[in-house]
Amino acid sequence: MPASSSAVPLCTANATTLCIDQIPGDGRFEVKLDWSTTLNGGSSGHAHAVPLASVGVTRGGLFSIFSADNPELVVKIIDGCGYNNRAWVYYSAVTNVGFTITVTDRLYPTHIWTRTNADLHTADPVADILAFTCDGSEPPPPDDDPWILTTLPGLFFTATEAQP
């Protein structure tokens, strides 16, 4: 993985931006969560980023929407470069609010990963082990993603016609 050419992290954290490291202190990945709901007359906004570095977690964080003491989504990015030349994005949300999560690879700023959850739909967890390339090559479009993460830790398989 190419390192940042400066000592300054690539991502700048703020109230609505979570920065996640690939290597300690690099701030390679910028994560934002925008939300919108029809609940209670409708509202929308940018979720509040909750970094977890103070408890030793630099490859993940939380987002809250309505109240700082009520986390709505946890996200993490795993360095899979040694396995498949990819950075993996995982998230799990405990909400039925509509949202769009956007992860930008600040080392290669044209590489942007997004997923959405429809309003009033309880969000499904996501495990994308092809989200970003480690070497800056163009990642495949989401529709061409042949990898599926199984529920067995550490086991992966490729979908086939016999086993979609």
Side-chain angles (χ1 to χ4, degrees):
M1 194 287 300
S4 171
S5 60
S6 74
V8 178
L10 298 165
C11 173
T12 303
N14 60 41
T16 61
T17 302
L18 186 64
C19 298
I20 298 179
D21 295 343
Q22 179 178 15
I23 56 175
D26 71 353
R28 179 172 177 176
F29 299 101
E30 175 184 279
V31 186
K32 295 177 181 252
L33 185 76
D34 294 320
W35 61 273
S36 179
T37 186
T38 57
L39 294 170
N40 297 322
S43 58
S44 64
H46 307 293
H48 180 74
V50 182
L52 299 174
S54 65
V55 294
V57 178
T58 60
R59 295 186 183 174
L62 302 171
F63 283 96
S64 61
I65 294 175
F66 300 109
S67 174
D69 65 351
N70 182 21
E72 302 279 350
L73 183 138
V74 61
V75 59
K76 69 179 184 176
I77 300 177
I78 301 297
D79 182 349
C81 296
Y83 179 76
N84 68 342
N85 188 40
R86 308 287 184 180
W88 309 348
V89 177
Y90 289 72
Y91 74 78
S92 185
V94 287
T95 188
N96 67 342
V97 170
F99 65 80
T100 298
I101 184 170
T102 303
V103 182
T104 303
D105 182 343
R106 300 306 299 164
L107 193 57
Y108 304 103
T110 60
H111 294 188
I112 300 170
W113 182 95
T114 62
R115 293 295 184 274
T116 59
N117 181 64
D119 190 31
L120 307 180
H121 171 77
T122 302
D124 296 320
V126 169
D128 186 347
I129 66 166
L130 294 178
F132 292 99
T133 60
C134 297
D135 61 9
S137 59
E138 235 8 81
D143 293 341
D144 293 339
D145 186 351
W147 287 83
I148 297 172
L149 179 64
T150 71
T151 56
L152 301 174
L155 296 179
F156 301 92
F157 69 91
T158 302
T160 64
E161 286 185 31
Q163 262 188 333

